[in-house]
Amino acid sequence: MDSFFTSLSKRQTMMLLTAVTFGGQESLAALEHLPEEEAALLRHRAQEILQIPREKRLPAVVQELKRLMKDRRGQLWTADPERLAALLQRERGALMEVTLRALPGSMADAVRGHLPPSRVKLTREVRPQVLDIIRWKLEEALAREVAGQSAGFKFADVLMLQTRELLTVSDRLGARVLGPALAGLPEAELAGLMESLPPDLLQLASKSVAANAPRKLPEEDARAQITLHEGFSRLAGAIRSAGVQRLARACVAQSPEFAARMLEKHRGEFGHLLAKWVREERSRPTARGDGGRTDIVMDLERLALRGLIERPVRLTAPPPRPSAVLPPPPGARKAAPPPSARPAPAG
């Protein structure tokens, strides 16, 4: 299912799943109210998901919806009780009680321990819609509080990304790698190849071809590079293959152990493709430079700003507490100086 949600934000993923689950083919017309590029992408993904047999499609869609809902409330459910209490102290007593009722029992008890005793008692149940709004505003306040503490990416964070996030990175890398080769093909042949691309890859490839037009490869070299990834039979697979090759090169440049851990984590189609290019890169002589790791980190930053991948969460250990130096007990004899500190006898 990862390939269906590549290059989609959480909002787009939820719209896609809602349309497929509750409306089917009839709901695809509602996507026309979105911007043209976004609507074309979501319609294409919806058509692909609807081709899956119903008995297999529904469990997969429900599992994806559960994952999104779990991520949606993860920030509030895993927050520090003391921080939540500090935010609630600024509000009225009634709102504090309503918010505490919206939290799980254990979290509410932990937050209440950091708050002064309240004299407000709720006489009736609060509507679920009101609780949703309160949770949403509280999460916004938490996000603003930690906005300046967001962690930047390191290449080692690639190991923590999900498969769909790595596919998103690989598609962008592959479009940039094959851009000069695609620009070197005749216009008629290039147009025929581009017709088979899905909307997201078509947009990436078009931008890459336009940007690399001044430095396009000669036609013979361009054909050789595209043939290496079997691009004349399936250009979408060639773009992804070229991106995974660059990712494998950067992993091997990081360390052989890092590349092995990547292969252990990822299975399936992406894992097989990654293993193929890791074997190729290991057999080549060590290249100079960082193996493209800097470019990948810059791509991660751009994708995180667009909401297509998640930023890393770094848990820093608190600084060690200084050990207290206690005074000697009363009546203690003065310790004798070490032999090295005693004066040498006169000759």
Side-chain angles (χ1 to χ4, degrees):
M1 294 293 291
D2 288 322
S3 60
F4 296 119
F5 306 107
T6 302
S7 301
L8 295 182
S9 64
K10 288 186 177 180
R11 178 186 65 84
Q12 294 171 332
T13 303
M14 184 60 77
M15 284 193 299
L16 174 63
L17 292 172
T18 304
V20 171
T21 304
F22 298 103
Q25 293 284 355
E26 299 176 358
S27 66
L28 300 185
L31 300 176
E32 297 178 358
H33 300 281
L34 298 173
E36 182 178 356
E37 293 180 355
E38 187 177 10
L41 175 58
L42 292 182
R43 281 198 304 267
H44 180 268
R45 297 291 174 83
Q47 293 287 358
E48 288 184 334
I49 295 177
L50 290 174
Q51 292 177 4
I52 302 175
R54 180 183 178 86
E55 61 274 9
K56 295 182 179 180
R57 181 176 72 244
L58 290 182
V61 170
V62 170
Q63 182 179 0
E64 189 66 25
L65 284 171
K66 288 181 178 180
R67 189 190 69 83
L68 283 176
M69 295 303 296
K70 181 179 179 181
D71 291 347
R72 172 68 180 88
R73 67 179 190 174
Q75 181 180 2
L76 184 57
W77 261 241
T78 59
D80 183 11
E82 189 173 354
R83 286 175 52 201
L84 285 177
L87 290 174
L88 292 179
Q89 283 178 352
R90 311 167 191 171
E91 307 296 340
R92 294 177 297 173
L95 182 57
M96 290 169 55
E97 288 298 321
V98 172
T99 306
L100 290 173
R101 183 166 295 189
L103 295 175
S106 58
M107 174 64 75
D109 294 339
V111 174
R112 200 182 295 274
H114 298 282
L115 294 173
S118 176
R119 300 178 180 178
V120 178
K121 293 185 178 180
L122 301 179
T123 58
R124 57 183 180 179
E125 293 294 329
V126 185
R127 294 182 178 181
Q129 296 85 348
V130 177
L131 296 180
D132 288 340
I133 295 174
I134 293 175
R135 295 189 192 105
W136 169 43
K137 301 302 291 185
L138 188 57
E139 286 186 354
E140 281 190 344
L142 286 172
R144 286 194 301 268
E145 184 180 349
V146 300
Q149 304 175 4
S150 58
F153 279 99
K154 300 184 296 184
F155 183 77
D157 297 322
V158 170
L159 191 62
M160 308 305 297
L161 296 180
Q162 301 179 9
T163 301
R164 65 187 61 182
E165 294 174 326
L166 290 174
L167 291 175
T168 301
V169 176
S170 299
D171 289 345
R172 278 152 178 77
L173 286 173
R176 194 158 60 242
V177 169
L178 292 185
L182 293 174
L185 296 178
E187 293 185 4
E189 186 176 5
L190 176 62
L193 290 175
M194 301 272 278
E195 286 179 355
S196 62
L197 292 178
D200 55 332
L201 290 183
L202 177 61
Q203 182 182 1
L204 292 174
S206 301
K207 291 182 178 179
S208 182
V209 169
N212 289 282
R215 49 182 180 274
K216 61 182 180 181
L217 295 178
E219 184 175 350
E220 183 179 355
D221 296 340
R223 291 184 179 278
Q225 185 172 359
I226 297 174
T227 304
L228 177 65
H229 300 281
E230 302 178 359
F232 289 105
S233 58
R234 187 168 175 266
L235 184 57
I239 292 176
R240 179 162 295 177
S241 174
V244 175
Q245 181 187 18
R246 285 299 175 92
L247 181 62
R249 181 177 303 171
C251 292
V252 173
Q254 179 79 354
S255 70
E257 295 78 10
F258 186 87
R261 292 174 63 188
M262 284 284 291
L263 295 179
E264 291 176 1
K265 180 179 179 181
H266 298 283
R267 305 294 180 182
E269 182 180 357
F270 174 75
H272 291 307
L273 188 59
L274 181 63
K276 168 191 172 183
W277 289 116
V278 165
R279 288 192 298 269
E280 290 284 340
E281 294 298 328
R282 283 174 175 171
S283 62
R284 295 181 180 180
T286 304
R288 295 182 180 179
D290 64 347
R293 286 174 287 178
T294 303
D295 293 338
I296 293 177
V297 171
M298 294 174 63
D299 281 342
L300 295 180
E301 292 287 350
R302 287 191 286 264
L303 293 174
L305 291 176
R306 296 177 55 186
L308 300 182
I309 63 174
E310 296 289 337
R311 285 193 172 275
V313 178
R314 308 200 192 283
L315 302 178
T316 57
R321 300 177 61 181
S323 58
V325 180
L326 300 178
R333 293 182 302 175
K334 187 176 181 181
S340 58
R342 297 176 183 174

